[in-house]
């Protein structure tokens, strides 16, 4: 579920990057998009390693992770579906929405996935689980950096 959300977020960043004219903002949004795609791949790998299940559907993830996950996923999909150029206040509003998404993902990943990794570590004392936990902590740190980049983008927009 987390990898699915991260892919949707990466797609949203990529789309907004394509729809804005400011080159600095484009660059920064593409940076976050690429980082988010890296996270999606890492989370998918962790999920396959820990749970060995098929990819869930968004509806299953909504049931498992709740309405907040569903709302964030839907917001990312709406942003990805945009077709018109964005700038100024509209871009600033989208960036604020993306800040909310980054806050949600960072906090949720640590809570949800660490609990699964912790269960595995306690039951098996598995070195693999420790490695996955370390990667997940790095992803959470990246989410914090994404929020800083989004703040920088808002400052760029405000000065435009």
């Amino acid at each position: 579920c987390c990898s699915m959300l991260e892919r949707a977020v990466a797609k949203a960043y990529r789309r907004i990057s394509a729809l804005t004219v400011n080159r600095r903002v484009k660059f920064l949004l593409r940076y976050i998009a690429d980082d988010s795609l890296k996270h999606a791949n890492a989370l998918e790998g962790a999920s396959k390693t820990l749970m060995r299940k098929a990819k869930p559907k968004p509806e299953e993830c909504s049931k498992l992770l709740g309405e907040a996950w569903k709302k964030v996923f839907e917001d990312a999909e709406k942003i990805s579906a945009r077709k018109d150029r964005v700038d100024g206040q509209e871009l600033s509003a989208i960036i604020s929405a993306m800040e909310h998404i980054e806050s949600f993902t960072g906090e949720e990943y640590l809570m949800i996935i660490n609990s699964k990794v912790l269960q595995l570590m306690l039951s098996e004392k598995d070195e693999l689980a420790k490695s996955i936990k370390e990667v997940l902590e790095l992803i959470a740190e990246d989410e914090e950096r994404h929020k800083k980049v989004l703040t920088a983008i808002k400052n760029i927009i405000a000065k435009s």
Side-chain angles (χ1 to χ4, degrees):
C1 292
C2 293
S3 65
M4 183 186 313
L5 177 60
E6 201 68 52
R7 278 189 206 292
V9 169
K11 187 176 176 184
Y13 280 120
R14 183 67 65 185
R15 186 70 187 146
I16 295 306
S17 172
L19 295 175
T20 189
V21 295
N22 185 306
R23 289 176 31 187
R24 286 176 64 199
V25 172
K26 276 183 179 294
F27 168 75
L28 292 170
L29 290 170
R30 280 193 308 256
Y31 165 77
I32 298 174
D34 291 345
D35 213 29
S36 295
L37 187 57
K38 175 188 76 174
H39 295 167
N41 292 333
L43 291 165
E44 185 175 339
S47 176
K48 285 178 181 176
T49 300
L50 291 174
M51 297 179 206
R52 298 177 183 94
K53 287 185 181 179
K55 289 183 182 179
K57 293 181 170 64
E59 304 80 42
E60 295 168 329
C61 293
S62 294
K63 288 178 186 173
L64 179 65
L65 301 176
E67 286 299 312
W69 184 93
K70 180 181 177 182
K71 169 120 177 61
V72 170
F73 184 78
E74 289 172 349
D75 287 349
E77 287 199 317
K78 284 179 195 170
I79 291 169
S80 296
R82 292 187 60 99
K83 299 198 183 317
D84 300 327
R85 286 240 176 259
V86 292
D87 58 6
Q89 286 184 317
E90 187 178 17
L91 180 56
S92 188
I94 292 169
I95 297 303
S96 292
M98 298 308 288
E99 285 177 316
H100 172 71
I101 289 171
E102 292 295 340
S103 292
F104 174 82
T105 55
E107 293 167 14
E108 288 299 306
Y109 293 165
L110 284 179
M111 283 186 352
I112 294 166
I113 300 172
N114 275 335
S115 67
K116 291 284 186 196
V117 173
L118 182 60
Q119 288 172 8
L120 184 63
M121 287 172 61
L122 291 175
S123 66
E124 299 179 19
K125 299 195 186 322
D126 191 334
E127 289 299 314
L128 174 61
K130 290 177 187 175
S131 295
I132 291 172
K133 182 177 186 290
E134 289 169 359
V135 169
L136 297 174
E137 288 169 348
L138 292 171
I139 290 173
E141 290 173 15
D142 286 345
E143 300 299 337
E144 287 300 314
R145 277 190 282 284
H146 292 179
K147 288 192 297 189
K148 289 178 182 177
V149 172
L150 291 171
T151 298
I153 290 171
K154 285 173 78 172
N155 290 334
I156 293 167
I157 296 166
K159 292 176 184 174
S160 299

